[in-house]
Amino acid sequence: MAMLTCLISLPFALSLKVYSYFECREKRTDPTKSRKVKYDKTVFYGLQYILNKYLKGKVVTPEKIQEAKEVYREHFQDDVFNEKGWTYILEKYDGHLPIEIKAVPEGSVIPRGNVLFTVESTDPECYWLTNWVETILVQIWYPITVATNSREQKKILAKYLQETSGNLEGLAYKLHDFGYRGVSSQETAGIGASAHLVNFKGTDTVAGIGVIKKYYGTKDPVPGFSVPAAEHSTITAWGKDHEKDAFEHIIKQFPNVPVSIVSDSYDIYNACEKIWGEDLRSLIVARSADAPLVIRPDSGNPLDTVLKVLEILGKKFPPVENSKGYKVLPPYIRVIQGDGVDINTLQEIVEGMKQHKWSIENISFGSGGALLQKLTRDLLNCSFKCSYVVTNGLGVNVFKDPVADPNKRSKKGRLSLHRTQSGDFVTLEEGKGDLEQYGVDLLHTVFLNGKIVKTYTFDEVRDNAQLKEKNVCEVQ
Ligand SMILES: *[C@@H]1O[C@H](CO)[C@@H](O)[C@H](O)[C@H]1NC(C)=O
Ligand SMILES: CC(=O)N[C@H]1CO[C@H](CO)[C@@H](O)[C@@H]1O
């Protein structure tokens, strides 16, 4: 498919270079469909993984050429495979790809509509390679989208945490990744969980830790943490009449660390009121602030359930009022809501808690499918387009501008990304960035002729994506 696109759209045999770019197209405000979350900016993350895993080093071999040739012949019922081109790469470059990729630093938070990376062929014989790598590179939409959506949720949490407690303590642990089983594959789990960890530190999707350690590296031994937790079978296996015994057994097993216990196997309200609030009360109040009981409801309307659970717990374990005038449960007891949490319900729950005068400092959230899987490339309009070619030694700016959708107009010519004096980002088209007045180009060469020439540690990625105070105010 990629090969056909480039042969059909760029058929000039004398083309010497093809230059393409990736962006998350700017959304235009459509008053009829105003989305609650605007996603004005995106977190650039995940290119380093793709380059390391799929594009660096000797990726063309005689065996792969042979195999592709056979598959293509059957697949297209024609000999369209570019055997000569691939053999040229194998012989001249020992199977390394003669392309250059320039990108913004990983973790950068860039407004939609700006160039994020560019790809160009570096050998006139291999002008066709640029569009060959398009499909795999565009898969970066996924880590970008997970990291962006997770960061928007962090903004919401930061805003309400600040308002209801006066500080941002514990923010990095407020949204825990519950998504492992809800994703399509092991690879998706690794990439998606690592993208969430750009913003947060709580995860049960341990595959993300492996991805970060292998492809980025961190100063800490691990970039994400979790706590012992009960799931339904560890409660229900005791039988319906023994929920209390199950609870008691688990909290006694973990006296010195936080322990999360799912409490809705039969009746979450009864569990909070009678079992936790009466039968086991003395065991709970004896726990320290470092080893609280974390009660996990897991069914019902998320907002109603959270409010009712807090109200019941508040009667049994009287809350204190914090400096901002919001109620906080005692340090030995917390709540985690991990069911039905997406960016919209999250906003509703924290708003509802605020209205009912509950601080969000001692509640946290878990999110699974909505965090890692319920996302598509359309959310941020991620796209890859050719903007410049050199043919017969002559550079030509190219672009598309479809009559049916002006939003899909693409950029022209060589591109560069700059910061203006007011701190905004601007993409310069048609090679204008070469003029000195715009300051340095923020796109750096990360890949050149088969080698990765610039890398980022996960700590740098996190630093680049960090929330600033003004971001918290962006939440409506
Ligand atoms: C982004 O994608 C959505 C969904 O496909 C579409 O409705 C919208 O027009 C696109 N916006 C732009 C700027 O391409
Ligand atoms: C009163 C109370 O329990 N406060 C705790 C709420 O959570 C924060 C952050 O996890 C703890 O430091 C407080 O002790």
Side-chain angles (χ1 to χ4, degrees):
M1 173 66 194
M3 183 193 72
L4 281 186
T5 316
C6 95
L7 285 188
I8 291 164
S9 60
L10 300 159
F12 14 80
L14 290 172
S15 264
L16 296 179
K17 186 188 275 296
V18 172
Y19 176 99
S20 297
Y21 76 98
F22 179 93
E23 70 171 324
C24 300
R25 281 196 304 266
E26 196 171 3
K27 57 150 195 36
R28 303 289 144 96
T29 342
D30 176 355
T32 57
K33 274 196 295 181
S34 92
R35 245 195 217 123
K36 274 191 215 148
V37 188
K38 306 261 191 281
Y39 302 108
D40 291 331
K41 296 171 188 163
T42 59
V43 179
F44 184 73
Y45 173 69
L47 183 62
Q48 190 163 308
Y49 172 85
I50 296 174
L51 297 180
N52 264 287
K53 192 163 166 84
Y54 296 108
L55 296 183
K56 78 165 183 202
K58 179 171 181 163
V59 291
V60 183
T61 63
E63 298 72 30
K64 285 188 192 169
I65 292 177
Q66 194 52 34
E67 188 185 349
K69 186 176 161 183
E70 285 161 22
V71 170
Y72 270 66
R73 188 181 299 133
E74 294 302 319
H75 182 69
F76 293 106
Q77 296 290 303
D78 196 0
D79 275 321
V80 292
F81 181 65
N82 185 6
E83 185 176 3
K84 193 164 150 270
W86 289 109
T87 304
Y88 175 85
I89 293 174
L90 178 63
E91 286 168 359
K92 174 138 188 217
Y93 295 102
D94 189 29
H96 292 62
L97 301 177
I99 50 173
E100 176 170 6
I101 300 176
K102 293 184 178 182
V104 296
E106 298 244 347
S108 299
V109 181
I110 309 285
R112 297 267 289 281
N114 283 295
V115 57
L116 295 174
F117 67 84
T118 63
V119 183
E120 62 194 288
S121 50
T122 58
D123 181 328
E125 294 286 327
C126 302
Y127 65 90
W128 51 273
L129 194 56
T130 303
N131 288 56
W132 191 281
V133 293
E134 165 172 350
T135 299
I136 189 145
L137 289 173
V138 173
Q139 288 184 340
I140 195 179
W141 77 265
Y142 175 68
I144 286 179
T145 305
V146 173
T148 299
N149 185 49
S150 149
R151 187 169 182 275
E152 288 302 316
Q153 296 182 81
K154 191 174 184 182
K155 283 191 203 169
I156 294 171
L157 288 163
K159 174 182 170 198
Y160 283 87
L161 186 56
Q162 185 70 43
E163 285 172 2
T164 65
S165 81
N167 64 66
L168 294 181
E169 202 187 317
L171 177 61
Y173 294 92
K174 286 272 170 227
L175 186 62
H176 201 89
D177 180 346
F178 281 177
Y180 211 158
R181 68 191 56 195
V183 289
S184 58
S185 69
Q186 190 66 12
E187 184 172 9
T188 307
I191 300 171
S194 74
H196 174 64
L197 288 172
V198 168
N199 307 296
F200 288 92
K201 289 191 172 169
T203 191
D204 280 1
T205 308
V206 287
I209 292 174
V211 163
I212 291 166
K213 286 172 82 83
K214 182 158 180 195
Y215 296 96
Y216 289 85
T218 47
K219 60 178 176 345
D220 300 329
V222 290
F225 305 88
S226 195
V227 301
E231 53 112 12
H232 287 106
S233 70
T234 56
I235 309 295
T236 54
W238 291 69
K240 188 162 193 257
D241 297 333
H242 296 279
E243 192 177 25
K244 180 194 124 228
D245 302 317
F247 287 178
E248 184 171 352
H249 174 76
I250 298 166
I251 53 171
K252 281 184 171 162
Q253 262 200 320
F254 299 102
N256 302 319
V257 287
V259 58
S260 153
I261 302 191
V262 67
S263 305
D264 75 327
S265 296
Y266 311 107
D267 180 347
I268 177 72
Y269 306 121
N270 178 68
C272 290
E273 183 160 349
K274 294 282 172 356
I275 307 179
W276 295 126
E278 292 167 16
D279 304 343
L280 301 177
R281 191 175 185 285
S282 58
L283 284 175
I284 310 308
V285 301
R287 295 181 74 92
S288 75
D290 296 332
L293 164 68
V294 186
I295 295 178
R296 177 159 75 92
D298 194 38
S299 44
N301 171 288
L303 173 59
D304 298 346
T305 307
V306 166
L307 290 178
K308 195 158 167 194
V309 162
L310 288 171
E311 185 198 334
I312 294 170
L313 292 175
K315 289 204 178 102
K316 299 293 179 179
F317 305 94
V320 295
E321 199 180 292
N322 68 18
S323 62
K324 292 279 173 182
Y326 290 84
K327 290 173 280 184
V328 188
L329 287 172
Y332 47 75
I333 194 163
R334 313 265 175 95
V335 173
I336 182 165
Q337 172 66 29
D339 178 50
V341 173
D342 65 19
I343 192 162
N344 297 311
T345 55
L346 178 72
Q347 162 82 37
E348 284 161 22
I349 300 167
V350 289
E351 174 60 30
M353 284 179 63
K354 186 183 165 200
Q355 281 171 16
H356 288 80
K357 282 283 165 196
W358 282 102
S359 166
I360 73 153
E361 68 194 288
N362 294 74
I363 182 166
S364 57
F365 298 88
S367 185
L371 191 71
L372 300 187
Q373 185 75 31
K374 215 169 71 182
L375 302 160
T376 72
R377 186 165 67 86
D378 286 341
L379 184 69
L380 303 175
N381 302 90
C382 297
S383 81
F384 187 88
K385 290 285 170 286
C386 177
S387 64
Y388 180 76
V389 295
V390 176
T391 93
N392 295 333
L394 213 66
V396 181
N397 295 337
V398 299
F399 65 104
K400 65 165 200 168
D401 194 1
V403 65
D405 189 352
N407 290 337
K408 289 195 160 183
R409 188 190 87 82
S410 66
K411 299 187 191 308
K412 266 187 218 170
R414 289 187 152 276
L415 308 174
S416 53
L417 181 70
H418 304 265
R419 275 208 106 134
T420 63
Q421 301 209 320
S422 56
D424 296 330
F425 289 89
V426 60
T427 295
L428 296 177
E429 302 185 28
E430 306 183 52
K432 290 194 183 117
D434 292 345
L435 306 174
E436 263 175 33
Q437 72 206 72
Y438 296 104
V440 293
D441 185 2
L442 302 176
L443 302 177
H444 304 286
T445 300
V446 290
F447 185 91
L448 185 61
N449 300 340
K451 290 205 177 75
I452 292 177
V453 296
K454 187 163 178 60
T455 56
Y456 300 89
T457 66
F458 203 68
D459 303 299
E460 291 174 286
V461 178
R462 279 179 161 165
D463 267 1
N464 290 338
Q466 214 171 40
L467 277 193
K468 315 237 161 45
E469 214 169 300
K470 71 172 168 48
N471 303 134
V472 177
C473 310
E474 288 162 1
V475 177
Q476 331 282 279

